[in-house]
Amino acid sequence: MAFPDDDLAALAAAHGVAVSYEGSDRSPVDVDPDVVVAVLSELGVDASTPESVASALDDVRSTRSPVPGTVAVVQGQARELGVSGRMELEDGTSLDVDGALPSDLPLGWHRLVTADGDEVTVVVAPARLPEVPRTWGWMLQLYSVHSSGSWQMGDLADLAELARRAATEQGAGVLLVNPVQAFVPSTPLVRSPYSPSSRRFASPLYLRVTDVAAFAAADDATREEVLGLAPDPEPADDLLDHDAVWAAKREALELLRPFAAADEDPDLDAEPDLAAFATFSALAERHGADWREWPEELRDPTSDAVARSRADLADRVAFHAWLQHLCREQLDVARDAAHDAGMAVGLVHDLPVGVHPGGADAWALQDVFASDVRVGCPADAFNPLGQDWGLPPWRPDRLLETGYAPFRDVVRSVLRHGDGIRVDHVAGLWRLWWIPPGEPAHRGAYVHYDADVMLAVLLLEATRAGAVVVGEDLGTVEDVVTETMHRRGLLSSAVLWFERDWDAPGQPHVPPREWEPETMASISTHDLPTVEGWLRDERIRVQADLDLLGEPVEDALATAAADREALLALLREEGIDTDDLLVALHAVIAPAASRLVLSSPADAVGQVRQPNLPGTVDEYPNWRVRLPVDLDAFFDHDRVRAAVAPLRAARPTP
C-alpha cells in the first residue's frame, strides 16, 4: 500500500529518510508513519503534527542552497553546478568558475566560494582505482594467533612475523586483518573488534610490550618485573582472556613509561583529535566505560570541566597518547615487513561499520552522530525480528556541513598503516537502517547518504595511500552497490558457500572460474562455520544447545546435508579429488576469477569452533577462540601446507 501522508513523505525525502523499501523477498514494504516521524526527530526535524510538517517543508524550500555543502567530482569530468564563484585549490592556487566545475581539476580536497558567499567542499576523486594484483593470502583474526613472544593473544609483532613468513615461505601476497582499533580501557573490555571505542585510533591490546624502546632502555630489575607480568600462555579452555591480557600489558607499560624517550610523546597541541581521545581514555579509567553515564559536566568534550580534568589527569592523558605512538610504530613495522617480504598487496585493515555508542568517537564527535539511534537491518527470512547492531550512525546533514571530514579522518587513520581497507557493510555508504530510540530492530527506516561523496572520499584517500579497497556486500544489498563498486575498481565479496545460482533447480554452485573478477573470494567468513565445523554441523549443534536454532534440528541437519551435497557436486564437476575436503575446497577456489582469494588459518588447521556466532554475546565465546597451534607450528603444519598448495600453484608469486 502507498504511504498515507504525501507531505510527510516529501519531508522525509528531503532529509533522505525512505518511507518504503524493498524487502528481502523483493516485495515493497512501507515504513510506519510514526517511525518516520521518530527518525526525522533524530535529524532535528519536527514532524509530530501536520502543522509542524508543513512548517518544516517550508523551511526546506526556503533555506536549501542550490548547491549542497559538499560535492563529488570525478577527475576528468566537468560538473554542472549552476552557480559561479572562486575555486580555492588544495595546493593554494585558485581559479574562477562560471556555472560548472572544469574537467581538469586535480585530485584533492578543494573549496568553492560562490558568488552568494556559500562555501562548498569539492572532493575530486579518480574514476577508478588501479587494477588489484591477482594473488592469494590469509584472512586473519589476529587475536587468535599466539607465539612464544606474545602474551596469550596475537599482537602486532606476530602480525609482522606472519606477514614475513607467509610471503617468503608460502608465497602469500595479502593479509586481511580483523579490526585492530581502539577499545575503552575500562574492564570488562568489549570483546568484539566490530564495536570499537574509536575507528581513528589503535588498540594497545595488540602491542608487543617487549618490543617497545622503553623496554630496551629499562634497567634489568624493571625488565624482569615486566616479564613476570605475562599472563598464562595456555588459558582455561584455550580461550583468550581479554581483561587479563590488558591488565598485564597496562601494568607493564606503566612500569616502562618512565624509560620512554621524550620524543616519543606526541604533540597534543598539534593533534587535537589524539588529545581528545587520550582525554576520553583517562576519564574512562576514572568514571567508567560509557561516557553517557559520566557526571553531566563531563559529557560535553568542550566543557570547562573536561578541560580541568585533562589538566588534573595530565599524566594519564600523556600515557594514553604515548600508547598510540607505540601502536603507530608497531603497525608500521608490520606493514614494512609485508613490503620487504615482497607481498603483492600487503596488509588490508578492516573498517567496522560504526563505533560503540559509549566510546571515544561517540563522545568527541557527538554533533556528527545520531547518538540515540542504533544501526541494524530490517526483518528478513533469517532474522524475522531484524538486527540491532547497537552502533550510532553518522548524521548525513552533519557530514555535509563538515565537508565529510569525519569520514575522511576515519579512512585516513586506517590507511595510514596499511595497503588496503575492507569496508564492513559497504552498503552503509548508500544507506543505513536507523532504529529510533525505544523501538525494536524491525521498526526502523533507511536513511540515505550521498554515496557519490562517500565513494569519492574513499577513492581519493585510497589513491593517495596506494591502497586497495574491498567492500563487504553480503546479504540483502541493492544492486547499485555492487555494480558501482565494480565500475569504480573496488572489490566486492565472494564467499564459496553463497556463490550459487539461486534461480536454477537445486540452486547449484557457480564454478569459481565464472565468478565476477572484481572480488575478494573466500571459503567462509568469521561469522560462518569453519570448514571443519561445517563438516561436523557444529553451528547447528551449538545453536540447538543454546535454543537459538529457530527450527527443528532435523530440518536444519537436512538443509545442511543438501548444502554439502551441492558443494560436493561442484567438486566433482570440477574434477577435484574429494578424499580430503579441506584440500578440495582450497583447490576449487584457487583458480577463481577473483583477483584475491583468501583462506583462514582456522580453516587450514582444522579448527572446529567459528570465531563469532551471530545472535550471541556471552552465550558463545565470541572473539576469544585461539588457534589450536602457535605461529611456528602453523607454518610447519602438514595440513596447512596441503591446503595452500593449490593456492600457490594457481597464484604464484610474480
Side-chain angles (χ1 to χ4, degrees), residues 598-624:
L598 303 186
S599 178
S600 80
D603 281 342
V605 300
Q607 182 174 297
V608 175
R609 289 185 291 192
Q610 64 193 73
N612 177 56
L613 184 67
T616 65
V617 179
D618 296 321
E619 304 95 323
Y620 182 83
N622 296 316
W623 318 113
R624 299 179 60 200

Side-chain angles (χ1 to χ4, degrees), residues 378-396:
D380 59 31
F382 296 101
N383 301 280
L385 297 180
Q387 296 182 51
D388 182 349
W389 303 334
L391 308 171
W394 299 119
R395 281 185 55 163

